[in-house]
Amino acid sequence: MNTEPPPPPPPRLSPATGPESDPRAIHARAIVNGISDRSLYNNLITLYSKSNHSSYSLPLFTQIPKPNVVSWTALIATQSDTFLSLRHFISMLRHPTLPNQRTLASLFRTCAAVSSLSFGLALHSLSIRLSLSSQPFSGSALVHFYSKSRLPLDARKVFDEIRDRDEVCYAALVVGLAQNSRPIDALAAFYEMISSEVRSTMYSVSGALRSAAELAALEQCRMVHAHAMVTGLDTNAVVGSALIDAYGKAGFVSDARRVFDENLRINIVGWNAMMAAYAQQGDNDSIIKLFTSMEAQGLRPDDYSFLAILSSLSNAGLDIESERWFTRMIEDYKLKPGLEHYTCVVGAFSRAGRLCDAEKIANTMPFVPDAAVWRALLSGCAYHGEADMAWTMAKRLIELNPNDDSAYVIVANVLSSAGRWEEVSEVRKMMKNRRVKKEVGRSWIEVRGKVHEFLAGDHLHEMRDDIYKKLTELMEEIEKFGYVPVWDEMLHEVGEEEKRKSLWSHSEKLALAFGIISGAFPPGKAIRIVKNLRICRDCHEAFKFISKVLDREIIVRDVNRYHRFFNGTCTCGGVW
């Protein structure tokens, strides 16, 4: 636990002298009574920094005749989100005054806020020399700093060196791992915290739920939910919103709605999370009803509310509806659309076949188009077989990121479908010269509360022989019903048998085969898989056949959307 005592409280005032919440009243009384006690001034600096009168902090600090480490720490904390905090620290060292762990904690938060990795590394070195890096205050802030710097492994190393880890330390680690897309590690840290009998907080619980949401792991959601209920955190607005988001991303909208209806403290974030859950399922009617109810409750929609609506309409290719809601956002609600809102409209127009209109929006919007915009157009061109325009969009995407493997793969497949083999060869040559390799596919499946991860071509799982045996049986069976492999044009130069092996060992197929042989999915229970990339055309085609042959519902959440396969069809309608 954090054992360093807090600074003494400021002197209390009687009601007659002014409101106790205003530090100016305390300051005025001290002046009148001739009090210049350093501890009082230290507390006043902190109080001013927490009020709307932070500009008083520095002039007050200069009046302290011999500022100590507490004085400097209070001053540094007043500017904890700016570089000025670091300048104050340099001045402190020149006096000289050495920092304590509270000083370093504030400075690490500053380095995280201003993205100063070099200064943070120097501070870490200093904290080691002063034997402060393993203290809970500075250690938890250091974990947060490395996490915000996208260095989760370093964050974990720091955490492992902290003595007397408390709830703040664990929360920093769980949230940091979750934010860095290490959901399995984040959940492991959360359960480690519980087994260590460390009290959970709304931050550690919401971080665990964020990880469960990324994995679409229903059982993990329910376990964390149960823990939140036992600890009384389930009624917290932050935790409630995280629960809605987690159940929604796991595909269980009814569970998300139950949490939403039972939590009386849900704020606009929770409402938006509920609408986003409906959006992922393409349930446009429920989104609109919820939007109307939100307004009836007196809540004003924000840009995230409209993002949920527009993303759902975009996935459905409802261009006219998208245009109408986009206009309402600007004219009726006086909200300024962001790049994500324009991307949704571009996607809706592209899916509807209005490719020229979509390109016009991309070229005239008040933002520089990013990769998501051009990828939306590229996907639309691919769906409608517009090879020339697909080439143009792919080149724009490649200009932004020459290593974007999806751009090469999609345009190569479009060109091959049009029989333009010379240009297909050109795409393959570009990939080879730039040493672009397809990102490794990863898929996750939750079986009896444990998340199993598969890579493309994976042979590491303990049941690998049974998995590949079942997969061979499935693929041979669906071939009898008319399944024909959909070759990836990037496999053009290899033999047919090698192509078959490559397609059969895709991560989502391995996860599916494992789910079937695990016995954890009896008839009537959908098999749920999460993938880190866009599901490929062959897996999409194969899953349609498998769902019909097995008479099973298969749900795949890829990087773009949910796919529900049943009786030989998919809810995406072939657009993803």
Side-chain angles (χ1 to χ4, degrees):
M1 297 294 292
N2 293 344
T3 57
E4 187 167 323
R12 295 179 63 84
L13 298 176
S14 64
T17 58
E20 296 181 22
S21 60
D22 191 339
R24 292 176 300 180
I26 302 173
H27 193 180
R29 185 174 181 180
I31 294 173
V32 169
N33 294 332
I35 301 174
S36 58
D37 180 72
R38 184 172 60 189
S39 63
L40 171 62
Y41 276 28
N42 291 345
N43 284 320
L44 278 171
I45 292 172
T46 300
L47 288 173
Y48 275 129
S49 70
K50 294 179 179 179
S51 69
N52 294 324
H53 309 287
S54 57
S55 59
Y56 287 83
S57 297
L58 183 57
L60 182 60
F61 175 83
T62 60
Q63 297 176 29
I64 302 175
K66 293 183 179 180
N68 59 7
V69 64
V70 179
S71 310
W72 282 103
T73 300
L75 179 64
I76 287 168
T78 63
Q79 305 289 338
S80 61
D81 57 348
T82 70
F83 281 103
L84 190 57
S85 172
L86 306 182
R87 293 180 182 176
H88 290 326
F89 175 63
I90 299 299
S91 299
M92 170 184 166
L93 294 178
R94 287 171 178 165
H95 263 70
T97 303
L98 290 177
N100 60 21
Q101 64 162 323
R102 290 180 181 272
T103 316
L104 290 172
S106 182
L107 290 165
F108 284 131
R109 284 193 290 269
T110 299
C111 292
V114 300
S115 301
S116 180
L117 178 61
S118 57
F119 204 105
L121 293 174
L123 280 173
H124 188 183
S125 297
L126 177 61
S127 69
I128 293 174
R129 293 193 62 182
L130 297 175
S131 300
L132 294 174
S133 63
S134 60
Q135 296 296 314
F137 269 98
S138 50
S140 59
L142 187 53
V143 169
H144 171 71
F145 160 70
Y146 277 121
S147 298
K148 296 294 284 187
S149 301
R150 316 303 292 177
L151 296 169
L153 297 181
D154 294 275
R156 179 74 214 205
K157 289 178 183 177
V158 170
F159 175 85
D160 290 338
E161 295 171 357
I162 298 175
R163 300 189 299 269
D164 302 321
R165 302 166 193 148
D166 63 5
E167 66 271 15
V168 179
C169 299
Y170 271 103
L173 179 65
V174 172
V175 172
L177 292 171
Q179 290 176 339
N180 281 277
S181 296
R182 301 184 73 88
I184 296 177
D185 294 337
L187 287 167
F190 179 75
Y191 294 126
E192 176 188 327
M193 178 191 74
I194 295 174
S195 64
S196 300
E197 298 184 350
V198 175
R199 185 174 66 92
S200 56
T201 67
M202 67 176 183
Y203 301 107
S204 55
V205 171
S206 60
L209 287 169
R210 173 175 177 161
S211 298
E214 185 172 346
L215 295 169
L218 175 64
E219 295 304 320
Q220 297 295 327
C221 291
R222 287 180 172 161
M223 285 191 284
V224 179
H225 188 183
H227 174 77
M229 293 177 69
V230 170
T231 56
L233 289 169
D234 59 315
T235 59
N236 178 274
V238 174
V239 173
S241 298
L243 277 167
I244 294 168
D245 181 60
Y247 279 126
K249 287 181 177 174
F252 282 79
V253 181
S254 59
D255 292 78
R257 185 60 192 245
R258 189 176 301 112
V259 173
F260 176 83
D261 290 335
E262 293 175 354
N263 196 321
L264 300 178
R265 298 181 182 178
I266 289 295
N267 54 18
I268 185 67
V269 177
W271 284 83
N272 290 340
M274 191 66 243
M275 286 196 289
Y278 283 127
Q280 290 186 65
Q281 302 298 323
D283 190 348
N284 297 319
D285 292 338
S286 294
I287 296 177
I288 304 304
K289 289 179 181 177
L290 199 63
F291 183 91
T292 304
S293 298
M294 180 173 66
E295 288 192 297
Q297 294 286 333
L299 291 173
R300 180 172 176 79
D302 61 12
D303 49 347
Y304 290 102
S305 310
F306 282 93
L307 186 59
I309 294 173
L310 290 172
S311 62
S312 181
L313 297 174
S314 176
N315 284 336
L318 299 176
D319 53 321
I320 297 176
E321 283 292 293
S322 294
E323 193 170 17
R324 185 172 70 85
W325 276 95
F326 186 80
T327 302
R328 285 192 66 189
M329 176 183 180
I330 300 170
E331 296 181 356
D332 298 345
Y333 295 88
K334 310 302 179 186
L335 292 172
K336 186 176 181 180
L339 178 58
E340 296 87 352
H341 300 92
Y342 281 97
T343 304
C344 289
V345 177
V346 169
F349 278 41
S350 300
R351 287 176 173 83
R354 295 172 59 183
L355 299 173
C356 293
D357 291 335
E359 184 180 17
K360 183 178 179 180
I361 294 172
N363 288 325
T364 58
M365 65 183 182
F367 300 98
V368 176
D370 66 355
V373 173
W374 298 129
R375 188 174 291 109
L377 262 162
L378 176 58
S379 297
C381 295
Y383 178 71
H384 293 284
E386 293 289 342
D388 288 333
M389 195 171 184
W391 232 140
T392 301
M393 296 306 128
K395 289 176 180 177
R396 290 176 179 175
L397 194 53
I398 292 169
E399 284 176 7
L400 290 176
N401 181 8
N403 294 315
D404 188 338
D405 60 300
S406 66
Y408 300 94
V409 173
I410 294 173
V411 75
N413 287 328
V414 176
L415 292 170
S416 65
S417 297
R420 296 163 63 163
W421 301 109
E422 290 184 5
E423 290 164 292
V424 172
S425 299
E426 183 182 344
V427 174
R428 291 205 302 272
K429 185 177 179 180
M430 288 170 63
M431 286 191 74
K432 185 175 182 180
N433 291 340
R434 296 172 180 176
R435 297 181 180 179
V436 178
K437 294 184 178 180
K438 291 183 63 176
E439 183 178 350
V440 176
R442 295 175 182 268
S443 293
W444 297 268
I445 184 170
E446 184 184 29
V447 173
R448 299 186 180 93
K450 181 179 179 181
V451 177
H452 296 257
E453 180 181 8
F454 292 89
L455 304 178
D458 203 337
H459 283 82
L460 298 177
H461 198 278
E462 58 185 10
M463 297 180 66
R464 56 187 173 275
D465 292 338
D466 294 330
I467 290 171
Y468 276 95
K469 180 180 178 181
K470 171 55 69 175
L471 188 55
T472 301
E473 292 175 2
L474 285 173
M475 300 305 290
E476 290 177 348
E477 182 69 17
I478 63 176
E479 283 181 342
K480 298 176 183 177
F481 286 82
Y483 158 76
V484 177
V486 182
W487 304 125
D488 186 330
E489 189 49 43
M490 292 299 107
L491 297 173
H492 182 73
E493 295 178 347
V494 302
E496 184 167 325
E497 186 59 30
E498 191 173 346
K499 286 181 182 180
R500 287 168 63 89
K501 290 181 179 179
S502 176
L503 289 176
W504 285 19
S505 61
H506 280 192
S507 62
E508 55 266 59
K509 290 193 180 85
L510 296 175
L512 175 62
F514 172 64
I516 294 171
I517 66 174
S518 69
F521 300 92
K525 184 177 181 180
I527 300 176
R528 297 171 178 273
I529 298 168
V530 180
K531 178 164 180 166
N532 66 327
L533 304 174
R534 174 180 179 270
I535 186 172
C536 77
R537 292 189 300 162
D538 181 73
C539 287
H540 194 271
E541 190 69 13
F543 279 21
K544 288 196 294 184
F545 277 92
I546 293 173
S547 71
K548 188 169 185 177
V549 169
L550 298 182
D551 191 25
R552 297 292 298 269
E553 182 182 11
I554 305 168
I555 300 174
V556 178
R557 196 192 83 189
D558 72 1
V559 71
N560 287 338
R561 62 180 300 165
Y562 264 95
H563 300 265
R564 288 178 176 267
F565 301 93
F566 187 73
N567 197 28
T569 63
C570 178
T571 52
C572 77
V575 183
W576 75 96

